[in-house]
């Protein structure tokens, strides 16, 4: 694709589209050329804001784009992925890959058959403190990992009219949001071989809608792990702890997605507490995710969350819910 301008299409002009656009408009050699949404007014408004053309269908957008951001709710991905992969268009697909395992498998099949670039939006991989932890683990500084713990608590007000509370679209926290945390620990530790969990929902009118989850797992290397997450916690808290036989590292933050401090120690040694600078503490990872996807779309070989990572994460969520 060389140095030619990359024409990007946005499919799904909702909340997360704005986070992606903020990064995309800062990138050299990128033009937002098409916006697709089933809500024509939303497509028009976003298209106007970034100088793109509003399109009624993905098929219409295809001839005007070189890469696509698929930002629809998870139950409406299959048609777009079929059209985009058939046209060989690289796709950044928001997480979770799909709402359930059969759908995730169909999507993975489409992507494998097409062989075109496809990345799942597990944006937390680009949160700088998590990248530091990954470097610590890879360098063996924690030794052999024994246990990893992930806790993410916060409050998500779910308004009327949002797909998360529409019974025909809702998937619950374990499928939607925990996908970030499941992917994060797989990325840091390796494959999960056993997992089980308990979930609870605070919205009895929404059948099968969970917003609080507790899960435990064993990884392929024998490490044990746990996840605790809630959309109903009035206190926001974010932590990641890794305990190894040569050292422990704990990231902790005041906010659902922040990491304010990194505490490390070797067994028996004094703890070292590092307060993280604001730009690192609050970096959600969207900038790193954007440059990675654009490189992938331009044909570079870059490490990225693949469709297989997306599929595995949906399988893990399903096991927790089973
Ligand atoms: N990475 C993150 O941190 C993060 C944060 C929020 C949401 N998300 C993910 O982004 C996705 C969208 O969530 P959101 O909060 O932006 O939802 P949203 O409701 O704000 O936006 C979704 C948009 O998709 C449109 N849409 C629905 N069906 C469509 C179709 N068939 N074709 C085209 N457009 C269609 C809707 O009209 C809406 O404008 C979800 O998968 C969610 O999990 C990720």
């Amino acid at each position: 694709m060389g140095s030619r301008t990359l024409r990007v299409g946005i499919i799904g002009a909702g909340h997360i589209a704005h986070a992606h656009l903020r990064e995309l408009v800062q990138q050299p050699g990128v033009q937002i050329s098409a916006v697709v949404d089933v809500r024509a007014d939303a497509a028009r408004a976003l298209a106007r804001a970034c100088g793109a053309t509003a399109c009624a269908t993905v098929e219409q957008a295809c001839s005007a784009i070189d890469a696509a951001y698929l930002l629809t709710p998870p139950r409406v991905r299959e048609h777009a992925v079929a059209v985009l992969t058939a046209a060989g268009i690289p796709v950044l697909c928001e997480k979770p890959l799909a709402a359930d395992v059969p759908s995730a498998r169909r999507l993975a099949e489409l992507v494998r058959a097409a062989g075109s670039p496809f990345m799942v939006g597990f944006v937390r991989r680009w949160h700088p403190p998590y990248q530091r932890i990954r470097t610590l683990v890879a360098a063996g500084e924690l030794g052999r990992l024994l246990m990893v713990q992930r806790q993410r608590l916060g409050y998500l007000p779910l308004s009327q009219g949002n797909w998360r509370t529409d019974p025909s679209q809702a998937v619950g926290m374990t499928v939607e949001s925990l996908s970030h945390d499941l992917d994060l620990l797989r990325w840091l530790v390796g494959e999960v071989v056993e997992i089980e969990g308990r979930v609870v929902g605070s919205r009895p009118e929404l059948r099968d809608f969970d917003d609080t989850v507790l899960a435990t797992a064993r990884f392929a290397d024998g490490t044990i792990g746990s996840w605790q997450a809630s959309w109903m916690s009035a206190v926001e808290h974010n932590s990641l702890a890794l305990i190894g036989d040569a050292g422990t590292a704990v990231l902790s933050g005041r906010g659902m997605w922040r990491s304010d401090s990194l505490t490390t120690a070797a067994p028996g040694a004094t703890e070292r507490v590092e307060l993280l600078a604001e730009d690192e503490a609050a970096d959600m990872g969207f900038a790193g995710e954007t440059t990675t996807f654009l490189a992938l779309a331009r044909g570079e070989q870059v490490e990225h969350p693949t469709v297989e990572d997306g599929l595995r994460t949906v399988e893990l969520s399903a096991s927790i819910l089973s």
Side-chain angles (χ1 to χ4, degrees):
M1 211 157 275
S3 58
R4 187 162 67 76
T5 296
L6 193 77
R7 299 167 307 160
V8 174
I10 303 285
I11 302 157
H15 164 76
I16 203 62
H18 291 90
H20 289 295
L21 264 187
R22 268 195 297 278
E23 300 298 335
L24 275 171
V25 295
Q26 297 180 45
Q27 299 298 321
V30 169
Q31 180 197 348
I32 318 294
S33 53
V35 179
V36 182
D37 200 295
V38 283
R39 295 180 300 131
D41 55 339
R44 273 197 302 272
L46 199 71
R48 208 176 308 120
C50 56
T53 304
C55 299
T57 64
V58 182
E59 287 86 341
Q60 241 179 49
C62 267
S63 59
I65 62 176
D66 305 308
Y69 275 62
L70 180 52
L71 314 177
T72 58
R75 288 199 192 278
V76 280
R77 301 232 202 271
E78 289 191 40
H79 175 72
V81 171
V83 173
L84 293 165
T85 54
I89 292 173
V91 178
L92 184 148
C93 175
E94 257 305 346
K95 42 55 59 176
L97 175 64
D100 53 50
V101 174
S103 174
R105 287 193 180 136
R106 287 193 290 275
L107 288 173
E109 229 5 89
L110 285 168
V111 174
R112 287 177 201 134
S116 47
F118 190 94
M119 172 167 143
V120 180
F122 289 128
V123 66
R124 306 308 163 216
R125 290 190 185 195
W126 289 275
H127 179 50
Y130 298 155
Q131 298 198 324
R132 277 218 234 174
I133 293 285
R134 195 163 189 243
T135 304
L136 279 182
V137 171
E141 294 203 18
L142 305 182
R144 183 172 69 86
L145 285 180
L146 303 170
M147 181 165 78
V148 289
Q149 283 180 309
R150 172 82 180 125
Q151 192 178 56
R152 182 164 62 83
L153 309 177
Y155 182 66
L156 184 75
L158 290 170
S159 57
Q160 284 282 325
N162 188 292
W163 63 268
R164 292 175 180 80
T165 52
D166 170 350
S168 68
Q169 295 288 319
V171 295
M173 183 183 205
T174 301
V175 172
E176 190 200 346
S177 193
L178 195 74
S179 62
H180 279 305
D181 311 283
L182 293 167
D183 178 72
L184 181 65
L185 293 199
R186 283 184 71 242
W187 179 66
L188 290 171
V189 183
E191 193 52 272
V192 172
V193 291
E194 288 169 40
I195 193 163
E196 61 181 357
R198 300 265 183 282
V199 303
V200 66
S202 66
R203 306 283 290 257
E205 75 282 12
L206 281 175
R207 206 167 66 86
D208 299 333
F209 179 83
D210 63 288
D211 50 24
T212 299
V213 51
L214 174 65
T216 60
R218 185 178 297 280
F219 293 80
D221 67 355
T223 307
I224 57 174
S226 72
W227 293 260
Q228 282 176 292
S230 182
W231 274 337
M232 283 303 292
S233 172
V235 173
E236 297 221 338
H237 177 67
N238 181 16
S239 76
L240 173 65
L242 296 94
I243 300 165
D245 61 5
T248 296
V250 178
L251 276 171
S252 177
R254 293 166 294 106
M256 190 156 40
W257 296 113
R258 290 177 61 93
S259 299
D260 293 294
S261 65
L262 171 60
T263 306
T264 49
T270 309
E271 286 180 9
R272 179 173 178 273
V273 182
E274 181 184 350
L275 298 182
L276 305 181
E278 179 60 22
D279 58 347
E280 184 174 9
D283 188 326
M284 299 277 282
F286 284 104
E289 181 186 51
T290 304
T291 51
T292 301
F293 176 63
L294 295 178
L296 190 69
R298 290 188 163 111
E300 291 174 34
Q301 300 288 321
V302 280
E303 188 194 341
H304 63 281
T306 64
V307 76
E308 309 301 338
D309 292 320
L311 167 59
R312 184 68 187 131
T313 304
V314 176
E315 288 173 346
L316 294 175
S317 295
S319 297
I320 292 170
L321 292 169
S322 67

